Amino acid sequence: MNLFADALDWLFSPERLQGAYALPALLGQHLWFTAISVIIAALIAVPLGWLIGHTGRGREFAVALSGAARALPSFGLLILLVLVMGVLRTPEAAVITFVLLAIPSILAGAYTGFEAIDRRVIDAARATGMTEWQILWRVEVPLGMPLLIGGLRAAVLQVVATVTIAAYVNLGGLGWPIIQGIPLRRFDQVLGGAILVALLALILDLLFAAAQRAAVPRGLRAARSERDGPARGTASRASSSTDAPTDPAPAAALSN
């Protein structure tokens, strides 16, 4: 408990707002690496995932690619790229590492969003005379958007957690207090940095969860509410009929 109190004291100390390693500056660096990495990964993975989901071809390749990318050790890959590209290319090496980490979740969200759509909906769209391009943008993309945002949500959380290793190559971020505090045995600083990373991940997760719910088309939400409404009403009537006395005589006796 004392360590937690010390960590809070470290977090709210006025010194945390001063200097090159002030917490707002570190937070900005952390968010920048996260945002640029996820955006680049989305530009690569979303079109590829939509192509796979729309055509139904290449799923095995996507699964193999996702598995291979997930198997890469992020810290080892970062150090390897820094050694290969040189210390002057450290930011680029870090971004490449985080992009490779983010691609699998976004790719899976993109093509599974299309695969989850009822094929009868696609057939009905074709029957009305829609072109493949119209089916893609008017049917598949809106219906597949919730799962795509779910993939983006998972990618963001993975990258936010992994960007902490950027401090090992002197790129700042919220991992800097953790990495600097370990050799100095400043465990209040280490815990304070970990708390900041956890809070940032929690806030981003809540934002993406809200976006994922908002991405569900209104027609689907209305259909679900109409489907759930009669079910709730039936359950309520069944509960009422079960609770009601079946014999009027005891009920009359109780009333008397």
Side-chain angles (χ1 to χ4, degrees), residues 83-249:
L83 293 175
V84 171
M85 300 174 66
V87 294
L88 296 180
R89 299 284 185 178
T90 299
E92 291 87 341
V95 169
I96 292 173
T97 301
F98 304 142
V99 166
L100 292 176
L101 177 67
I103 282 177
S105 297
I106 301 175
L107 181 63
Y111 73 77
T112 56
F114 281 17
E115 288 181 346
I117 301 172
D118 191 338
R119 291 296 97 185
R120 291 173 296 181
V121 176
I122 307 299
D123 293 339
R126 288 196 178 99
T128 60
M130 282 189 177
T131 64
E132 294 300 314
W133 191 254
Q134 290 173 326
I135 292 172
L136 174 67
W137 288 106
R138 295 185 183 180
V139 179
E140 292 178 319
V141 170
L143 293 178
M145 189 60 65
L147 284 180
L148 173 59
I149 294 178
L152 287 168
R153 177 183 178 184
V156 167
L157 295 179
Q158 290 173 330
V159 173
V160 162
T162 310
V163 167
T164 54
I165 67 175
Y168 271 110
V169 289
N170 201 30
L171 291 178
L174 294 177
W176 182 85
I178 300 173
I179 293 170
Q180 188 210 37
I182 291 174
L184 297 177
R185 300 184 66 83
R186 290 288 309 275
F187 299 118
D188 57 338
Q189 178 177 317
V190 174
L191 181 57
I195 290 173
L196 286 177
V197 175
L199 285 176
L200 178 60
L202 179 61
I203 292 171
L204 292 175
D205 183 52
L206 291 175
L207 291 175
F208 273 91
Q212 192 172 358
R213 286 194 297 270
V216 177
R218 282 184 293 179
L220 281 181
R221 288 200 295 267
R224 289 175 184 173
S225 62
E226 289 176 1
R227 184 175 64 248
D228 295 341
R232 286 195 297 267
T234 302
S236 177
R237 288 192 298 271
S239 175
S240 300
S241 62
T242 302
D243 296 338
T246 56
D247 188 357

Side-chain angles (χ1 to χ4, degrees), residues 11-74:
L11 280 173
F12 293 104
S13 172
E15 297 175 358
R16 304 285 79 78
L17 302 177
Q18 300 172 0
Y21 294 102
L23 290 182
L26 297 177
L27 175 62
Q29 294 165 355
H30 206 100
L31 288 174
W32 186 87
F33 277 112
T34 300
I36 195 68
S37 301
V38 173
I39 289 172
I40 294 173
L43 291 175
I44 297 171
V46 171
L48 181 59
W50 282 352
L51 178 64
I52 293 170
H54 181 73
T55 62
R57 302 190 187 101
R59 191 180 191 279
E60 295 78 9
F61 167 76
V63 172
L65 178 64
S66 299
R70 286 192 175 100
L72 291 173
S74 301

